[in-house]
Amino acid sequence: MGHLDSPVATDGQILINVSATALSRVSKFRSMGMHYSSQVNFPIVAGIDGVGTMEDGSRVYFVLPTAPYGSLAEQTIVNEKLTVRLPDDIDDATAAAIANPAMSSWAALVFRAGFQSGQTVLINGATGASGSLAVQIAKGLGAKKIIVTGRNELKLQALEAEEAIAFDMTADNGQKTFEDALVPLIAEGVDVVLDYLWGDSAFAIMSVLAKTNTDRATRFVSIGTSSGQESIQLPSSILRSSTIELVGSGDKSVSKADMLTAVKGVFEMAAEGKLKIATAEFALEQIEKAWSAPLMPRPVVKVK
């Protein structure tokens, strides 16, 4: 194990007294060097974002602390441009927990899909933290209709969506059953697909979009691979014979400035009571327990 001196602010960097940080999937994987965006030399302090106070006492959300420092510590340093002031009506734990999963949905909708109020949104994988927040965000931004799909029917029914389709790709004829259920809904028109799963379910949605006679363009945004399937066999004909516009949303396709704009929008919506996330709080001394805790409710480490 290496030793790190206490962080010291330098030109362009500010010192943050950390109060809370959430353990998201991307935070843990980046800390272990297992995420596609990982660019770290060990040893490092884990944690890619959090909430804390600046030297003047202002509460801020911060992201991407300056290596080797991270957010799972009492203090860290970060580029001042990578901070967002917190509204008074949002607490530290909620801000830390909601920033990453909600920001991914907001950025995908606004900056990658060009979402407009009154459009129809299909969210594939809506029962996870990011997917369930995407439902709330799409609703808050004025979606006319929200369709949710996923593997857990009870969780889907608990979401505030107009239509819900549960699927089981491992069952006999599971893909055909899913596609048959999608046809009448997609025939009515879908403007945006937010996909958190990829794999067979994503292929099924694109197949139905291609088979359905509609002149309505559909922006299909790939955000994650929670299905565990990193690749699919996607015939060229699906894209050539449809109005699907296939794009990705993530660390390299959305600028840091747009990501922070998304975070600001998320915080404002949460402060108005339109966004909610369940949290499970841990002390910093309980980091081992927090690290292995389920991602829902979102584990939040309270540093102070």
Side-chain angles (χ1 to χ4, degrees):
M1 295 180 63
H3 172 75
L4 297 177
D5 295 328
S6 297
V8 177
T10 58
D11 290 344
Q13 308 290 319
I14 57 172
L15 185 71
I16 300 288
N17 294 302
V18 183
S19 58
T21 182
L23 290 176
S24 61
R25 174 184 168 90
V26 62
S27 181
K28 292 199 291 185
F29 275 49
R30 274 182 62 112
S31 298
M32 295 185 289
M34 296 170 61
H35 191 261
Y36 73 88
S37 64
S38 298
Q39 294 178 338
V40 296
N41 294 312
F42 296 98
I44 61 168
V45 177
I48 67 165
D49 66 346
V51 169
T53 56
M54 300 190 299
E55 290 183 309
D56 65 1
S58 300
R59 290 195 313 144
V60 294
Y61 166 79
F62 63 90
V63 65
L64 301 177
T66 304
Y69 300 102
S71 57
L72 279 166
E74 293 182 351
Q75 290 186 322
T76 193
I77 53 174
V78 65
N79 186 320
E80 187 172 9
K81 295 180 180 179
L82 299 179
T83 63
V84 175
R85 299 293 180 102
L86 292 183
D88 292 337
D89 294 333
I90 185 171
D91 63 85
D92 291 352
T94 298
I98 210 167
N100 181 272
M103 169 269 296
S104 70
S105 306
W106 188 294
L109 270 174
V110 175
F111 298 116
R112 300 300 288 158
F115 172 80
Q116 300 293 322
S117 178
Q119 291 187 325
T120 295
V121 181
L122 189 158
I123 301 169
N124 187 38
T127 59
S130 295
S132 59
L133 283 168
V135 176
Q136 300 176 56
I137 290 168
K139 188 179 184 68
L141 291 176
K144 178 182 178 181
K145 182 178 182 180
I146 301 173
I147 304 165
V148 292
T149 62
R151 289 164 288 201
N152 189 313
E153 185 168 4
L154 289 177
K155 288 184 177 181
L156 287 176
Q157 295 297 335
L159 298 173
E160 293 187 22
E162 283 68 36
E163 302 285 351
I165 304 174
F167 59 75
D168 180 2
M169 291 301 179
T170 64
D172 292 341
N173 296 318
Q175 181 148 333
K176 184 179 185 306
T177 300
F178 183 41
E179 290 186 13
D180 289 346
L182 285 168
V183 168
L185 298 180
I186 287 180
E188 294 177 5
V190 172
D191 300 289
V192 176
V193 176
L194 297 185
D195 175 55
Y196 292 92
L197 300 180
W198 201 237
D200 294 337
S201 62
F203 179 74
I205 293 168
M206 283 188 276
S207 296
V208 175
L209 285 167
K211 294 173 186 175
T212 304
N213 293 322
T214 176
D215 294 329
R216 196 164 173 176
T218 301
R219 185 69 60 91
F220 188 106
V221 188
S222 174
I223 306 173
T225 56
S226 294
S227 68
Q229 293 176 275
E230 285 285 342
S231 61
I232 59 175
Q233 293 289 333
L234 181 61
S236 161
S237 58
I238 283 184
L239 298 180
R240 288 186 287 111
S241 63
S242 73
T243 54
I244 299 172
E245 300 174 1
L246 181 60
V247 299
S249 185
D251 180 61
K252 301 298 183 182
S253 57
V254 181
S255 71
K256 289 183 175 63
D258 284 345
M259 287 289 193
L260 291 175
T261 298
V263 170
K264 187 174 184 294
V266 164
F267 287 156
E268 290 172 353
M269 192 176 283
E272 294 170 0
K274 297 178 181 178
L275 275 182
K276 300 183 184 301
I277 188 170
T279 61
E281 296 186 9
F282 299 85
L284 186 57
E285 294 75 17
Q286 298 174 296
I287 183 58
E288 185 174 354
K289 183 178 180 181
W291 195 271
S292 59
L295 293 179
M296 292 181 66
R298 180 69 78 197
V300 175
V301 177
K302 295 295 291 291
V303 180
K304 293 182 180 178

